[in-house]
Amino acid sequence: MPIIRLSSSARRDLSLIACCSLILILLVEFRYSKSSTVLDRSNGDYYATGPASSPEAAASLEGLDAEERELLGHVPASSPRRSKHRSGGPSRLKGHHKHGSSSRTKPPTFDTHDNKIGSSRVSWGRDEKIPLTDLVAHAPGFTILDNVYSLNGTLYIVRSDTKPGSFPEVRTMISNAGNPRLSIDENMRIISERQAIALFGSQASRVEGTTFLCNDDESVISDYYHFTAETLFSLWRAYSSLDTSISPYGETRLPQPRRFIAPHIPTSRWRDYANLNPYILHAAFPSTGLEFQGDWVDRAETLRPYFFDRVVLGDRNAARNAGATTGRTNSNNGKAGEEGIDKAVFQADKMPKSPHWWMPIRNNVVTFAAGEDADALVQAKKKRQEPGLTTAPPVITYVTRQQWGKRMLRDSDHTALVDKLHELKRDNDDWEVNVVQLEELSREEQIRLAAKTTVLLGVHGAGLTSLLWMQPTNQTTVVEFLAPGSFSEDFEIVSRMVGIKHFTVWGDKSMTYPSLPDKSKLPSRGRSLEFDSNEIPVDADAVVALIKRQLLPAEEEA
């Protein structure tokens, strides 16, 4: 075989190519060995989460004892906490409070981040500090946090000061979501910068914008009232505290939440029988994505750290836990130390607010449902109408439950009330009177009717949730019928929070805030057997007189 002789220049070129190839191979092997490490399970080692094997992480781990490692959540690969996710059990969260400053400065009300693919990672090096978690706002059960981390289903707060007192008490921010098998520290942990680097390494995947995170279980979210008038209502109430300049026309500087996450609720269990829950959420926030228990498990099982720009965390059990020992104030009579209000929304209403905080949601939902007719139902600047005043003829809507078989008026009283309402219409020709069963109306029809209603009447029930779509004015009123001796503050609180007058009616007696029944002095705290009675009495003449007082000037009524 002939020998091929190469020139000296060719030999130099081949040598250079060989050296470059060798260097490239070594670099690839080195990078692979750093990013794909999974330690031996049999030795009790822990999953290395890729970036956690960096020099910074290794240095941090050297200073941690076994107890600190367990606190950080370095769970062995065979840990039952992973199988808990796989079996569909609740996952873990976290949230926190603010004292001191963050290493990343951000305006408190605006979503300033871009959404380019290249911005999908937050990283920090040997000479850079890991972004610290900031508390933006807090009330028991409701916390707004910037720079929140998540790994394996647990939310992490990274602070330079982790001493007790540097944040609110954890149980006032988050609970076990009603699951006795789940501890609070599986949902939320506060860790130091050194511990964070040991746990996350030098980077995290970024979850941009504002996240609404509902840490409740399915039992308190699966009907129209509980989801719309409690969960969504209170999360927005907390978030709206960041813009106290919301106008009467619903104008706000707040960006829509990018996503709504409910880690403990299966996708199929948050829908009410009328499917109003998803309708309202999509109407209020058209750009908001949804994540439920299965999605949260999927995220957790990537075993990668995530960095949430902003989290609005809501937990109704945490709100109640805070009130149980601090002594809630009974909103009915102002006495402290009694059980008082057990509604989480009452805690959220302690945060700063605009009087018109609910209007962006109300207007979005009404506009969505009304379509081309929205202009007639949404108060806007272009109408040059004085906010809070009305010049339109009144609309009276009586939501009847007489076909429900539970919590109904006495038949004779229902008939008398309907007759008196029609008589009121005959005496006031431009007034509108509607007697409806909401289940016979479409979702759009229900919302459009509520949006033009001036006085809403009905027995305590989900139908009164429609008050959320009414236009607050000097005449707007909710009249709630309850069995004498029973009481619920559900719709009274919601009405008052959105600026609507509310009356509780017992037979021929009407009551309004602050002169309401003291639940602590009522049988079964207002939930006696009579509460769900099908023979609730109401005096039609007294109800009509109440309506006239709300709608007619004093001299005209006389």
Side-chain angles (χ1 to χ4, degrees):
M1 180 176 180
I3 298 175
I4 300 175
R5 298 183 180 277
L6 300 176
S7 65
S8 59
S9 60
R11 288 197 300 272
R12 284 196 301 272
D13 291 343
L14 285 176
S15 299
L16 181 61
I17 292 172
C19 290
C20 291
S21 299
L22 179 61
I23 292 172
L24 180 62
I25 292 171
L26 291 175
L27 286 173
V28 170
E29 289 183 349
F30 178 73
R31 181 175 180 84
Y32 177 80
S33 66
K34 285 172 67 67
S35 62
S36 60
T37 305
V38 177
L39 303 183
D40 186 359
R41 300 184 186 190
S42 62
N43 294 331
D45 290 330
Y46 300 91
Y47 272 113
T49 61
S53 54
S54 63
E56 295 93 334
S60 298
L61 283 170
E62 289 177 0
L64 303 179
D65 57 26
E67 184 176 355
E68 284 180 308
R69 293 184 183 218
E70 176 57 28
L71 176 65
L72 282 176
H74 281 267
V75 185
S78 58
S79 168
R81 285 171 59 183
R82 290 260 299 130
S83 62
K84 184 182 298 183
H85 286 292
R86 176 63 69 185
S87 65
S91 51
R92 307 182 297 291
L93 300 176
K94 150 189 154 223
H96 274 65
H97 191 86
K98 164 192 176 181
H99 295 296
S101 61
S102 167
S103 60
R104 182 169 66 92
T105 302
K106 178 167 60 176
T109 59
F110 302 106
D111 185 354
T112 60
H113 298 296
D114 57 61
N115 58 359
K116 298 176 182 177
I117 295 298
S119 66
S120 64
R121 185 180 67 173
V122 175
S123 59
W124 48 92
R126 185 185 299 272
D127 299 324
E128 297 176 296
K129 286 190 174 182
I130 184 172
L132 301 180
T133 303
D134 262 350
L135 174 80
V136 180
H138 173 74
F142 300 95
T143 310
I144 303 177
L145 299 157
D146 283 353
N147 307 348
V148 179
Y149 298 81
S150 170
L151 177 64
N152 196 22
T154 299
L155 294 178
Y156 289 91
I157 302 303
V158 178
R159 300 293 297 163
S160 57
D161 182 3
T162 59
K163 296 177 182 177
S166 62
F167 261 65
E169 197 174 352
V170 170
R171 70 185 199 89
T172 71
M173 293 183 283
I174 206 164
S175 72
N176 63 1
N179 183 357
R181 297 176 301 171
L182 191 67
S183 63
I184 292 180
D185 68 350
E186 289 180 283
N187 278 346
M188 172 190 291
R189 295 180 185 179
I190 304 175
I191 59 176
S192 68
E193 296 170 83
R194 185 184 68 154
Q195 291 169 328
I197 292 174
L199 185 56
F200 309 135
S202 60
Q203 64 181 21
S205 296
R206 181 171 164 197
V207 183
E208 299 171 347
T210 297
T211 299
F212 277 15
L213 202 154
C214 168
N215 193 55
D216 293 328
D217 66 279
E218 63 187 71
S219 67
V220 293
I221 201 175
S222 58
D223 69 45
Y224 179 35
Y225 166 76
H226 287 302
F227 175 75
T228 303
E230 290 190 335
T231 299
L232 180 63
F233 188 76
S234 55
L235 281 170
W236 176 257
R237 173 64 190 86
Y239 188 40
S240 71
S241 68
L242 303 185
D243 183 7
T244 58
S245 63
I246 296 175
S247 78
Y249 312 102
E251 299 160 322
T252 179
R253 298 173 296 167
L254 294 172
Q256 289 189 36
R258 295 279 189 92
R259 65 202 60 81
F260 174 90
I261 300 179
H264 305 286
I265 300 172
T267 305
S268 61
R269 299 304 296 272
W270 79 292
R271 291 178 169 86
D272 58 305
Y273 77 93
N275 219 27
L276 275 160
N277 288 351
Y279 184 92
I280 296 301
L281 186 58
H282 290 308
F285 304 124
S287 300
T288 299
L290 306 178
E291 292 186 29
F292 292 95
Q293 188 178 68
D295 306 294
W296 187 251
V297 170
D298 289 342
R299 189 185 288 275
E301 289 184 343
T302 65
L303 294 176
R304 288 309 205 203
Y306 293 89
F307 174 94
F308 288 80
D309 285 345
R310 171 166 288 174
V311 172
V312 181
L313 174 64
D315 189 314
R316 278 182 276 178
N317 283 327
R320 296 186 184 101
N321 290 342
T325 56
T326 58
R328 281 178 289 207
T329 298
N330 188 318
S331 72
N332 303 334
N333 54 27
K335 296 179 181 178
E338 297 177 346
E339 183 176 353
I341 296 302
D342 58 1
K343 295 297 176 183
V345 295
F346 187 64
Q347 298 286 5
D349 204 36
K350 296 177 179 178
M351 304 173 85
K353 68 177 179 181
S354 159
H356 316 290
W357 68 273
W358 180 245
M359 292 308 291
I361 308 303
R362 185 264 177 190
N363 286 354
N364 276 7
V365 172
V366 171
T367 300
F368 186 89
E372 294 180 355
D373 299 327
D375 286 346
L377 299 173
V378 175
Q379 193 174 58
K381 277 185 175 180
K382 63 183 179 181
K383 296 182 182 181
R384 297 182 181 179
Q385 180 179 334
E386 184 69 21
L389 300 178
T390 182
T391 57
V395 177
I396 302 167
T397 300
Y398 167 34
V399 176
T400 173
R401 293 176 54 94
Q402 292 306 107
Q403 303 302 318
W404 269 80
K406 176 183 178 182
R407 213 178 305 129
M408 303 185 301
L409 292 184
R410 185 184 293 157
D411 282 339
S412 58
D413 289 357
H414 163 74
T415 301
L417 178 60
V418 172
D419 291 342
K420 287 291 184 181
L421 290 175
H422 287 308
E423 182 180 318
L424 189 61
K425 159 65 177 170
R426 289 193 295 270
D427 294 341
N428 300 272
D429 189 55
D430 60 341
W431 291 17
E432 180 180 336
V433 170
N434 304 286
V435 178
V436 298
Q437 297 182 54
L438 290 182
E439 62 271 20
E440 296 181 352
L441 304 180
S442 69
R443 296 173 299 191
E444 290 80 7
E445 289 171 333
Q446 292 182 38
I447 294 168
R448 288 199 297 264
L449 177 58
K452 69 176 183 177
T453 293
T454 315
V455 178
L456 180 67
L457 306 97
V459 176
H460 176 89
L464 292 183
T465 307
S466 295
L467 74 89
L468 292 173
W469 320 126
M470 298 170 73
Q471 176 72 54
T473 71
N474 57 323
Q475 293 182 334
T476 310
T477 306
V478 174
V479 180
E480 181 178 7
F481 307 134
L482 285 166
S486 65
F487 183 69
S488 169
E489 68 271 299
D490 291 354
F491 297 107
E492 191 280 323
I493 291 176
V494 173
S495 298
R496 185 151 39 98
M497 286 176 63
V498 298
I500 294 175
K501 192 76 171 178
H502 177 281
F503 289 88
T504 296
V505 172
W506 286 355
D508 61 354
K509 180 182 180 182
S510 61
M511 300 161 282
T512 191
Y513 179 83
S515 301
L516 294 171
D518 185 345
K519 284 179 62 174
S520 65
K521 297 179 180 178
L522 296 175
S524 303
R525 296 199 54 77
R527 294 281 183 150
S528 62
L529 293 176
E530 290 77 15
F531 185 83
D532 290 326
S533 171
N534 292 337
E535 295 288 328
I536 297 174
V538 67
D539 187 308
D541 289 322
V543 172
V544 168
L546 172 60
I547 294 173
K548 288 181 177 179
R549 287 197 299 272
Q550 292 302 110
L551 300 182
L552 295 174
E555 61 274 12
E556 186 175 344
E557 182 183 354

